[in-house]
Amino acid sequence: MDAFNTPITLPMSYSFTSSGGSTSSGTAANTNINPWMDSRIWSKLPQRLIDRVIAFLPPPAFFQARAVCKRWYGLLFSSSFLELYLQISPRRHWFLFFKHKSLKSYIYRNSGGGSDRANCEGYLFDPYSNSWYRLSFSLIPSGFSPASSSGGLICWISDEAGPKSLFLCNPLVGSLSQLPPTLRPRLFPSIGLTVTPSSIDVAVAGDDLISPYAVKNLTTESFHIDGGGFYSIWGTTSSLPRLCSLESGRMVHVQGRFYCMNYSPFSVLAYDITANNWWKIQAPMRRFLRSPSLVESRGRLILVATVEKSKLNVPKSLRIWGLQACGTTWVEIERMPQQLYLQFAEVEGSQGFDCVGHGEFIAIMIRGSDKALLFNIYGKTWQWIPPCPFLSGGGGSSSSSGEGCELHGFAYEPRLATPVTTLLDQLTLPFQPFNG
Amino acid sequence: MAFTKKVTLKSSDGELFIIDRAVALQSRTIQYVLEDTNPVDAIIPVPAVDARTLSKVLEYCKKHLIDLNTDFEDYSKWDKDFVDAEVWMLYDLIMAADYLHIPPLIDLICDKIASMFKGQTPDKIREIFNIDNDFSKEEEEDFKKKSGWAFK
């Protein structure tokens, strides 16, 4: 695949870590002479160990391998295999992107034949091998948008103002579970989601459309269910600090708390799930930030933003801060190399950008384009993400073609099984099935 | 007191390995033998593993015992180098780790084998593991349609 024909001209020095780029073509060439493929060795491997090897395959390779024989095909439905898989499969810090639903794309869509399938596919990105995969979300009814992701599940929320309907979807196995609708009507709430092997927590925050005047009434309602038999269906509510503006629609989960960015002026809003209370945290250099985003990385809250001090003699830059254990102070962890920042700023052109973090990676997506950078916190390396080959008729060679296919990204851990959703089945039974 | 004791293992080809009891205890198989029979200075035979493989397995056990303070990064680097071995060695190692029941070593090698065959076509994988294709043509087509995303 020629996913690496980046329209951006970049000096190779900035693809430091693009190990996948070179190896993927390298291995392809080597396979014919690879001595490891000797069937005299591997055909002796006991089935038990072969199953264990299969459990270590990344999901796309697993789905390919299912084509080998009926027994391998059936592993996806074998509870003993899935149990083993959930136990030993390494966590993969991948990303899932969607085409951004902007007002502009609605107009494009209406003029361009009215195909409403823009959200019916997602683009899975494996940052370890720089590979893209296209996933179908055809099960999702129209009028829903992806809002959050956790534990192998994507949360979709209804677009229409009113009580919100939510779905949790595992796109790899095509499963779809519905949550009971929220109790309060809302327009564009921010969604927090955290899924563990035995619990699901969702927080919906924003204006609840209750005030008859044009006054914002900012509240949260929370959903919880766990394997211990405890559940709360939107029963927990709390008010947000006054005068907040949560326009990003995003919440980030870090160790029992949801965080979201508050705008004008910038600050960070924190919500403790068990204590059910909100508070404000001051943002670093808040008067000089542009396009701040919150991301989670290795159990820490991270803030990414560009800094523009017009009066001072500080060069513009993109900086990354980590919130310290005390919960109030930030420490700068990294600054984008100046040379790369100049390239970035040129592509970005003050349109702004959004960030999403997963494990050691932070993806920085430039608004109004399909260009994105990937920062590796372990290796302190930066690289441009190879363009998604499924967007805008292959690669977007002209400068204008990037428009209208802006990417909206989520941290996504691909999982062959998400048994936690069975907890929802007992809840959704009394509710009407959704007629999409 | 038990931790300072030595244990002697005897490989299939008769070589003796005198090691710390704590190193040997990482193998659950040996752990059971020691718990059951409590042999004092006796020799524990490991009939399924030859000397070359056993010494490699013990190298792993020693590393993962001594360096409990080593951070994750260092371990993963060491582990990566450890499994960067000849194919027959990987096979012997996984069989030995399975026989001796050392789950972290089994998983380390499984991960390595998975990374080697993840790019292969179903045809190639059948050849490697000597598996018959029991799908009909229709089933194969249907499968490709459903899981086509993974074949990109």
Side-chain angles (χ1 to χ4, degrees):
Chain A
M1 109 178 141
D2 42 13
F4 298 95
N5 293 334
T6 327
I8 315 163
T9 46
L10 55 141
M12 288 323 287
S13 59
Y14 284 116
S15 24
F16 316 155
T17 42
S18 63
S19 50
S22 51
T23 49
S24 64
S25 55
T27 45
N30 286 339
T31 46
N32 291 335
I33 48 158
N34 197 334
W36 87 268
M37 307 224 298
D38 194 334
S39 70
R40 281 169 304 179
I41 297 175
W42 299 113
S43 59
K44 287 190 292 180
L45 205 61
Q47 191 65 62
R48 197 166 34 83
L49 289 176
I50 294 182
D51 283 1
R52 223 174 164 89
V53 169
I54 296 172
F56 275 94
L57 288 174
F62 171 83
F63 279 90
Q64 286 179 36
R66 288 180 76 213
V68 165
C69 65
K70 283 186 174 160
R71 193 184 169 279
W72 288 30
Y73 179 85
L75 288 176
L76 189 59
F77 314 113
S78 149
S79 51
S80 59
F81 173 77
L82 291 177
E83 213 169 287
L84 173 75
Y85 166 83
L86 291 173
Q87 218 176 47
I88 64 174
S89 165
R91 314 196 81 174
R92 297 173 203 282
H93 302 133
W94 290 19
F95 294 94
L96 185 59
F97 295 92
F98 294 90
K99 279 185 203 164
H100 199 53
K101 256 192 188 173
S102 60
L103 191 60
K104 211 187 211 171
S105 64
Y106 276 127
I107 296 165
Y108 277 147
R109 210 177 303 146
N110 290 343
S111 62
S115 79
D116 192 25
R117 315 302 289 172
N119 267 326
C120 282
E121 56 185 42
Y123 310 104
L124 183 60
F125 178 66
D126 167 6
Y128 303 94
S129 70
N130 273 331
S131 320
W132 287 94
Y133 304 91
R134 179 174 15 206
L135 291 181
S136 164
F137 285 86
S138 51
L139 286 174
I140 304 286
S142 63
F144 280 75
S145 298
S148 192
S149 164
S150 177
L153 294 166
I154 306 283
C155 175
W156 292 71
I157 186 167
S158 55
D159 297 332
E160 208 170 305
K164 291 290 180 175
S165 298
L166 292 101
F167 284 110
L168 294 180
C169 170
N170 180 336
L172 297 188
V173 294
S175 78
L176 198 60
S177 311
Q178 191 176 8
L179 264 67
T182 64
L183 302 178
R184 302 185 179 205
R186 295 176 187 278
L187 186 55
F188 292 124
S190 294
I191 308 295
L193 170 74
T194 177
V195 177
T196 71
S198 61
S199 70
I200 300 173
D201 278 279
V202 188
V204 174
D207 186 8
D208 61 15
L209 305 177
I210 276 173
S211 166
Y213 313 103
V215 179
K216 276 189 189 173
N217 187 44
L218 296 169
T219 58
T220 320
E221 51 194 306
S222 307
F223 175 93
H224 171 90
I225 190 162
D226 63 42
F230 182 71
Y231 62 89
S232 157
I233 304 176
W234 309 117
T236 320
T237 59
S238 72
S239 292
L240 270 77
R242 293 179 61 212
L243 302 173
C244 287
S245 172
L246 297 74
E247 54 196 74
S248 79
R250 293 290 189 110
M251 283 197 226
V252 168
H253 177 260
V254 185
Q255 300 186 344
R257 289 170 179 174
F258 287 122
Y259 296 90
C260 56
M261 204 63 217
N262 182 35
Y263 295 79
S264 53
F266 293 128
S267 68
V268 172
L269 295 169
Y271 173 70
D272 187 297
I273 300 173
T274 22
N276 187 35
N277 66 326
W278 284 91
W279 67 97
K280 248 184 211 180
I281 301 169
Q282 210 164 69
M285 300 184 80
R286 63 199 165 101
R287 274 187 299 248
F288 310 108
L289 299 183
R290 198 168 61 76
S291 270
S293 292
L294 295 173
V295 303
E296 189 273 340
S297 172
R298 299 183 291 163
R300 268 172 98 187
L301 183 71
I302 305 267
L303 191 145
V304 186
T306 48
V307 172
E308 296 185 354
K309 279 183 164 185
S310 51
K311 296 238 170 85
L312 296 169
N313 218 359
V314 177
K316 292 179 181 179
S317 62
L318 185 141
R319 301 192 197 183
I320 298 174
W321 294 268
L323 184 64
Q324 298 308 102
C326 63
T328 48
T329 52
W330 300 85
V331 167
E332 186 176 316
I333 325 175
E334 188 64 22
R335 207 174 283 202
M336 187 186 281
Q338 201 56 32
Q339 194 192 351
L340 177 63
Y341 178 75
L342 294 177
Q343 275 183 37
F344 174 79
E346 197 178 321
V347 179
E348 194 242 354
S350 310
Q351 296 176 96
F353 54 92
D354 297 289
C355 302
V356 58
H358 200 188
E360 66 269 47
F361 299 110
I362 297 176
I364 303 168
M365 297 147 288
I366 296 175
R367 286 191 199 138
S369 86
D370 58 355
K371 315 283 188 300
L373 268 172
L374 192 70
F375 173 58
N376 182 325
I377 298 181
Y378 282 154
K380 302 236 179 245
T381 50
W382 300 81
Q383 67 167 112
W384 290 99
I385 292 178
C388 175
F390 309 111
L391 286 174
S392 67
S397 45
S398 76
S399 60
S400 62
S401 68
E403 264 182 72
C405 57
E406 179 173 323
L407 290 173
H408 187 53
F410 296 92
Y412 177 66
E413 191 196 331
R415 287 182 160 235
L416 301 182
T418 37
V420 69
T421 55
T422 52
L423 292 175
L424 293 171
D425 298 341
Q426 66 202 54
L427 282 186
T428 41
L429 282 174
F431 294 90
Q432 286 186 339
F434 188 86
N435 298 313
Chain B
M1 115 212 156
F3 291 106
T4 53
K5 268 207 192 148
K6 297 279 182 185
V7 169
T8 307
L9 305 182
K10 187 179 171 189
S11 68
S12 62
D13 41 359
E15 206 168 305
L16 296 182
F17 291 84
I18 302 165
I19 52 164
D20 286 343
R21 190 186 162 96
V23 171
L25 282 177
Q26 289 190 63
S27 154
R28 291 197 199 156
T29 307
I30 291 175
Q31 188 190 332
Y32 294 144
V33 172
L34 288 172
E35 279 169 3
D36 278 2
T37 60
N38 199 21
V40 182
D41 296 328
I43 293 170
I44 302 171
V46 188
V49 185
D50 64 18
R52 194 169 40 188
T53 315
L54 190 57
S55 75
K56 187 100 171 148
V57 169
L58 294 176
E59 187 190 334
Y60 175 89
C61 290
K62 276 180 202 152
K63 174 72 184 178
H64 281 248
L65 180 78
I66 296 164
D67 297 350
L68 281 179
N69 297 325
T70 317
D71 67 28
F72 173 77
E73 291 267 308
D74 284 358
Y75 255 134
S76 57
K77 167 92 174 70
W78 191 90
D79 284 351
K80 210 177 157 200
D81 291 344
F82 182 78
V83 291
D84 191 13
E86 299 279 349
V87 197
W88 50 264
M89 181 48 115
L90 284 180
Y91 177 80
D92 288 347
L93 270 177
I94 195 170
M95 295 308 285
D98 188 46
Y99 173 80
L100 291 167
H101 203 169
I102 310 169
L105 180 57
I106 299 174
D107 289 345
L108 177 64
I109 303 165
C110 283
D111 194 14
K112 172 71 178 178
I113 299 172
S115 74
M116 294 192 302
F117 90 83
K118 74 180 175 194
Q120 306 300 328
T121 62
D123 272 340
K124 210 80 202 170
I125 294 174
R126 279 183 212 114
E127 195 186 310
I128 297 162
F129 292 100
N130 197 16
I131 296 172
D132 288 330
N133 182 3
D134 52 2
F135 284 113
S136 67
K137 261 255 153 325
E138 294 77 40
E139 283 171 327
E140 234 170 80
E141 287 304 309
D142 186 52
F143 179 83
K144 280 245 159 105
K145 222 179 280 169
K146 278 192 199 138
S147 299
W149 67 272
F151 288 87
K152 181 59 203 159

